[in-house]
Amino acid sequence: KAVVYTKSEHFIKNENIDKDALQIVNRLRDAGYTAYIVGGAVRDLIIGKNPKDFDIVTDATPSRIKRIFRNSRIIGRRFRLVHVVFGPKIFEVSTFRSNAEGSVGNDFGTIEQDVLRRDFTINALYYDPIQEQIIDYVGGMRDIKKHVLKPVIPIDTIFVEDPVRMLRAIKYSATTHAKMSFSLRHKIRQSASLLLQISPSRLTEELLKIINSGHAYDIVMEALDTDLFMYLQPSAASMIFDNKEIQEKYLTNLKNLDELNKTEKDARLGKKLFFLIFDFISCLTDWKKETEQKYSSNELYVKTWTECRNFILPMNPQRRELEYAIKLSLKRLGVQIKTSSKKTNTK
């Protein structure tokens, strides 16, 4: 059974919700369907943060959602979702899913089934902006207030079904100050090697979220504590475990990265990657001697590129952004890279 919280209890103001997200909910309701704002957006609104994304869930099927919104497209092969587009903004609208085949099943279901597929209780809240009510089936409101991170899915299957949930757990713990129980933290350490099953593209997506989060230092500290970091950035993990001085420099650079995200929100990715690779590049050789030797600066760049590319694996960012970060690092180390008169893809 659900507990319903009213405006006087949850304090969410509709003016803090994207007007286009509200329009999507209203149009679905006008068409005779149920619709809610769901997940991380509801959590952030409760704790007073501005959500980056507003996801919507409904009992309308993707084909029906597509008919209601001309500015939409259906995505996904197994379980189809709908992206509703308003200019540069994309809103993900999904249909309630069944948990009959576990949390990764692909059948449509009810809200009572859909909630049992959500990863953690703090992400399993449904907000009705018309009635201004929160629908809570799993005690998520209580856990947000207590700053506790609890899984909805049974602990023996949550990470087996999707290992990326371990990364979400440490991210939520670091960014919302929600404490993990001993058993949850222990399970993550026990299951860390499951990240080997995840594709480089998906790991890259998660790592970029960490880099852009403004909480990279706190998240990496959690990743180190739970043994996840060695699977996210194995070369960096090996480097900082072997050398205390390098570890301190690396973590300091993560703090500087977080500061950059706060002061320069539109900074390009290459400028952020600089903080991940600079210490590694500086340790590769005696750069003062190298610049005095016969090697040209471009030869030094090519050698450094190969080393850095291997260093950040399995992360695979855009080539031009990594190039920018490498050249910026070499410039700081006194190596000037000649730029071609032709257009380069670092611009």
Side-chain angles (χ1 to χ4, degrees), residues 233-237 239 250 276-277 280 306-314:
Q233 291 285 265
S235 294
M239 182 178 78
Y250 186 85
L276 302 186
I277 65 172
F280 170 72
T306 304
E307 294 285 350
C308 279
R309 180 68 192 86
N310 292 328
F311 175 71
I312 64 169
L313 287 174

Side-chain angles (χ1 to χ4, degrees), residues 67-241:
R67 289 193 197 107
I68 296 170
F69 300 97
R70 291 184 179 179
N71 54 325
S72 66
R73 57 177 179 266
I74 296 176
I75 65 163
R77 292 183 180 179
R78 295 183 64 193
F79 188 86
R80 294 179 302 162
L81 305 169
V82 180
H83 278 175
V84 181
V85 182
F86 288 88
K89 296 181 291 186
I90 298 175
F91 298 90
E92 186 175 284
V93 184
S94 61
T95 307
F96 293 134
R97 288 168 68 173
S98 168
N99 66 334
E101 296 179 7
S103 65
V104 291
N106 296 299
D107 295 326
F108 299 137
T110 64
I111 186 173
E112 291 84 2
Q113 293 172 318
D114 188 83
V115 72
L116 296 176
R117 294 183 50 265
R118 304 281 161 181
D119 50 9
F120 301 97
T121 60
I122 63 174
N123 296 327
L125 297 171
Y126 300 78
Y127 180 63
D128 177 350
I130 298 171
Q131 298 295 325
E132 296 187 272
Q133 295 176 338
I134 283 179
I135 315 298
D136 182 1
Y137 286 89
V138 292
M141 191 76 171
R142 174 198 62 214
D143 292 340
I144 287 175
K145 290 179 178 178
K146 290 185 175 180
H147 299 284
V148 174
L149 189 69
K150 287 184 182 177
V152 175
I153 302 161
I155 199 166
D156 289 333
T157 59
I158 183 172
F159 303 132
V160 174
E161 289 181 336
D162 185 0
V164 168
R165 288 175 179 144
M166 293 186 286
L167 300 181
R168 293 185 191 138
I170 64 169
K171 183 170 66 176
Y172 300 144
S173 180
T175 58
T176 68
H177 307 292
K179 294 180 181 177
M180 288 189 274
S181 66
F182 172 82
S183 59
L184 178 57
R185 191 174 289 274
H186 177 69
K187 192 66 177 180
I188 292 174
R189 290 194 187 107
Q190 220 176 31
S191 310
S193 62
L194 293 175
L195 286 178
L196 292 170
Q197 303 171 10
I198 304 303
S199 67
S201 61
R202 198 167 175 212
L203 282 179
T204 297
E205 182 182 348
E206 294 298 324
L207 281 161
L208 292 180
K209 287 179 183 177
I210 293 171
I211 290 169
N212 292 318
S213 69
H215 298 276
Y217 173 81
D218 293 327
I219 297 171
V220 168
M221 290 299 288
E222 284 280 8
L224 288 167
D225 181 70
T226 52
D227 298 336
L228 295 178
F229 193 64
M230 66 181 72
Y231 298 100
L232 292 175
Q233 291 285 265
S235 294
S238 176
M239 182 178 78
I240 65 179
F241 284 143

Side-chain angles (χ1 to χ4, degrees), residues 211-215 252-275 324 328 332:
I211 290 169
N212 292 318
S213 69
H215 298 276
T252 297
N253 270 333
L254 290 181
K255 290 180 180 179
N256 293 333
L257 167 61
D258 290 338
E259 191 60 32
L260 175 69
N261 274 307
K262 292 173 186 174
T263 58
E264 198 176 330
K265 293 182 179 180
D266 295 327
R268 65 181 293 174
L269 176 61
K271 201 168 183 179
K272 298 176 183 181
L273 291 173
F274 161 82
F275 294 101
Y324 180 92
L328 181 59
R332 294 284 177 90

Side-chain angles (χ1 to χ4, degrees), residues 7-73:
K7 187 177 182 179
S8 63
E9 295 170 305
H10 59 65
F11 302 111
I12 291 176
K13 296 178 181 179
N14 280 1
E15 51 261 40
N16 293 331
I17 299 174
D18 189 288
K19 62 180 182 179
D20 293 321
L22 291 174
Q23 182 181 338
I24 293 171
V25 172
N26 281 313
R27 286 178 64 182
L28 286 166
R29 291 290 183 90
D30 290 344
Y33 298 104
T34 301
Y36 299 97
I37 294 169
V38 70
V42 183
R43 177 198 69 226
D44 287 347
L45 287 166
I46 292 169
I47 64 178
K49 291 178 64 178
N50 292 321
K52 290 184 178 179
D53 302 296
F54 289 88
D55 293 337
I56 293 141
V57 67
T58 177
D59 56 352
T61 61
S63 58
R64 292 187 181 277
I65 299 167
K66 182 75 169 64
R67 289 193 197 107
I68 296 170
F69 300 97
R70 291 184 179 179
N71 54 325
S72 66
R73 57 177 179 266

